[in-house]
Amino acid sequence: MYLKSEGVPQDFAKAPSWLEQAAGQGGMFACYCLARMYGAELGATRDAARRDFWRNMAARADIDE
């Protein structure tokens, strides 16, 4: 919701923590979004290791960038 401004003001600083909670509960689209955020430095510091981790998690569910 914070990433796309759905019902709340857009807030890239809050989005990663909520996405990580969703990913931890099996939300593969959240994994994809986290990979994009860590790769593009949107609300999260650019971090190749985290980007790759979340990209691999999303790939397990056949979600492509």
Side-chain angles (χ1 to χ4, degrees):
M1 292 173 61
Y2 286 107
L3 181 62
K4 295 176 137 187
S5 185
E6 295 176 351
V8 295
Q10 190 171 42
D11 190 335
F12 289 127
K14 290 182 181 178
S17 65
W18 285 101
L19 287 168
E20 286 184 15
Q21 287 182 45
Q25 295 177 13
M28 290 300 113
F29 186 68
C31 295
Y32 167 78
C33 291
L34 283 164
R36 300 283 296 174
M37 290 187 79
Y38 284 118
E41 202 171 328
L42 295 172
T45 303
R46 188 172 288 210
D47 185 326
R50 285 185 178 180
R51 179 202 62 212
D52 293 344
F53 173 80
W54 291 115
R55 182 184 290 162
N56 290 334
M57 293 297 288
R60 291 180 185 184
D62 294 325
I63 297 174
D64 295 321
E65 286 190 49

